[in-house]
Amino acid sequence: MKERDEGRAGLLYGIGAYGMWGLVPLFWPLLKPAGAIEILAHRMVWSLAVVGLALLVLRRWGWMRELLRSPRKLSLIAVAAAVISVNWGGYIWAVNSGQVVEASLGYFINPLVTIAMGVLLLKERLRPAQWAAVGIGFAAVLVLAIGYGQPPWLSLMLAFSFAVYGLVKKKVNIGGLESLAAETAVQFLPALAYLLWLGAEGSAAFGAEGAGHAALLAATGIVTAAPLVCFGAAAIRVPLSTLGLLQYLAPVFQFLLGVVYFHEAMPPERWAGFSLVWLALTILTWDALRTARRSRVAIAAAAAEASAAGTAAGETGTSAGAPVPAVPLTARGHSGDETGTTAPSTPSAQPGR
């Protein structure tokens, strides 16, 4: 029952995370007349404040010492900060310039770009279904490029920047909150300097549009951190296959907002391109679920075989007359509990440790 409740809670956290990411196009237009770069700078500054406060409450600082001792990880954090800055800035500009559908396409094709990068950079081997999905995704980009008269540069920029970001994060391998804190720490001084320069020039929107607008700019930190916290809570409660399916919620919501709420145009060539992308993702998802199911069956079969082998060995040992040694009282703990059997385990990732 407890495991089922944890799974249900994890599913709700995952829906909350990807739902917030999917609905964020409703937030960025509220920050006008601030430009995309000013909004981006506020997001960097306020995100560090929010995440720093969260880490202070949770007392999770041990990772900083390890990070500072690793020049390689520090350089990767700097690369991650630069790449996510491009991604954030491009997305904010896309939404506030009326290209929400184009932005959603970037996150639809992101899994395909990630797979392609795995082949090119990490020399990973793809299954036939994955090759088919990547090929269909490439065909979708060609269809859109022909229809537009040029490649969908904005979508490609968002997809590639986020794929590179994911690759770098994989190599750094630290927690979500910790990673965001480190990245925004790198971004903080340039962002703050830009905001101070805007203020000195008299062209800053912060404070010039009233207290409500200033509060919304400050809320960019919460908008950035809240879905990340929910994602972290989901990641430890539900299987990766479930998270893989939930990730499509964000671009679906963004696409629907672009078409239904922002009334962006959907000419036939755009529908054709999106349809090909959705076909590719359907194949990719089907292949991932099939592979995960086969892996579970194989693991269960191996466990059953090992259990059967252990039982057979035990029966052989007993029939051969090998006595089963009793645990003497002197081998027990001072309190009478058997050593190592009843002492509760304490996870090292627990807050404050």
Side-chain angles (χ1 to χ4, degrees), residues 130-176:
Q130 292 176 312
W131 276 116
V134 172
I136 294 171
F138 183 73
V141 173
L142 286 179
V143 168
L144 291 168
I146 293 170
Y148 292 172
Q150 63 178 5
W153 294 117
L154 178 61
S155 302
L156 292 173
M157 181 274 291
L158 291 173
F160 275 92
S161 61
F162 202 70
V164 172
Y165 177 68
L167 179 64
V168 174
K169 292 261 285 187
K170 182 178 180 180
K171 292 182 177 296
V172 174
N173 193 28
I174 62 175

Side-chain angles (χ1 to χ4, degrees), residues 193-288:
Y194 177 74
L195 292 176
L196 292 175
W197 176 78
L198 280 183
E201 290 285 309
S203 53
F206 186 79
E209 302 295 324
H213 184 264
L216 285 174
L217 284 170
T220 53
I222 299 175
V223 169
T224 301
L228 185 66
V229 171
C230 289
F231 175 81
I236 62 175
R237 288 175 171 86
V238 298
L240 286 177
S241 58
T242 303
L243 281 181
L245 291 176
L246 289 176
Q247 72 173 329
Y248 297 124
L249 283 178
V252 165
F253 285 171
Q254 293 164 11
F255 175 79
L256 292 175
L257 283 175
V259 174
V260 178
Y261 184 80
F262 293 106
H263 305 292
E264 294 183 17
M266 283 294 295
E269 62 271 14
R270 182 175 271 189
W271 278 115
F274 268 85
S275 297
L276 286 173
V277 169
W278 294 334
L279 174 61
L281 293 179
T282 301
I283 294 173
L284 200 62
T285 303
W286 167 78
D287 178 69

Side-chain angles (χ1 to χ4, degrees), residues 16-349:
Y18 287 108
M20 283 186 278
W21 278 323
L23 296 176
V24 78
L26 296 173
F27 178 72
W28 303 124
L30 301 177
L31 306 182
K32 293 179 178 179
I37 298 179
E38 183 178 359
I39 295 172
L40 174 63
H42 275 287
R43 186 178 191 180
M44 294 171 176
V45 169
W46 295 108
S47 292
L48 179 61
V50 171
V51 176
L53 181 61
L55 292 175
L56 183 64
V57 171
L58 297 174
R59 294 184 294 169
R60 280 158 57 174
W61 301 108
W63 59 275
M64 292 181 64
R65 194 177 302 109
E66 180 185 351
L67 181 62
L68 292 174
R69 290 174 179 171
S70 173
R72 178 178 175 273
K73 283 192 174 184
L74 284 174
S75 62
L76 288 173
I77 286 289
V79 172
V83 173
I84 200 62
S85 297
V86 172
N87 184 272
W88 283 356
Y91 186 77
I92 294 168
W93 179 83
V95 171
N96 284 359
S97 62
Q99 300 183 71
V100 176
V101 170
E102 194 81 4
S104 74
L105 176 63
Y107 292 104
F108 274 125
I109 65 177
N110 171 250
L112 302 173
V113 172
T114 300
I115 288 175
M117 288 180 62
V119 173
L120 296 174
L121 300 179
L122 304 180
K123 307 302 180 184
E124 294 178 354
R125 298 178 62 184
L126 298 187
R127 296 182 292 273
Q130 292 176 312
W131 276 116
V134 172
I136 294 171
F138 183 73
V141 173
L142 286 179
V143 168
L144 291 168
I146 293 170
Y148 292 172
Q150 63 178 5
W153 294 117
L154 178 61
S155 302
L156 292 173
M157 181 274 291
L158 291 173
F160 275 92
S161 61
F162 202 70
V164 172
Y165 177 68
L167 179 64
V168 174
K169 292 261 285 187
K170 182 178 180 180
K171 292 182 177 296
V172 174
N173 193 28
I174 62 175
L177 274 178
E178 292 86 348
S179 178
L180 182 61
E183 291 155 21
T184 50
V186 172
Q187 298 166 334
F188 180 79
L189 287 180
L192 182 62
Y194 177 74
L195 292 176
L196 292 175
W197 176 78
L198 280 183
E201 290 285 309
S203 53
F206 186 79
E209 302 295 324
H213 184 264
L216 285 174
L217 284 170
T220 53
I222 299 175
V223 169
T224 301
L228 185 66
V229 171
C230 289
F231 175 81
I236 62 175
R237 288 175 171 86
V238 298
L240 286 177
S241 58
T242 303
L243 281 181
L245 291 176
L246 289 176
Q247 72 173 329
Y248 297 124
L249 283 178
V252 165
F253 285 171
Q254 293 164 11
F255 175 79
L256 292 175
L257 283 175
V259 174
V260 178
Y261 184 80
F262 293 106
H263 305 292
E264 294 183 17
M266 283 294 295
E269 62 271 14
R270 182 175 271 189
W271 278 115
F274 268 85
S275 297
L276 286 173
V277 169
W278 294 334
L279 174 61
L281 293 179
T282 301
I283 294 173
L284 200 62
T285 303
W286 167 78
D287 178 69
L289 292 175
R290 182 185 62 169
T291 303
R293 184 165 55 250
R294 287 179 175 177
S295 297
R296 285 196 299 270
V297 171
I299 291 172
E305 185 177 347
S307 177
T311 302
E315 290 175 353
T316 303
T318 303
S319 62
V324 178
V327 180
L329 290 176
T330 54
R332 299 174 181 250
H334 295 293
S335 62
D337 295 327
E338 292 187 8
T339 305
T341 56
T342 59
S345 60
T346 306
S348 59

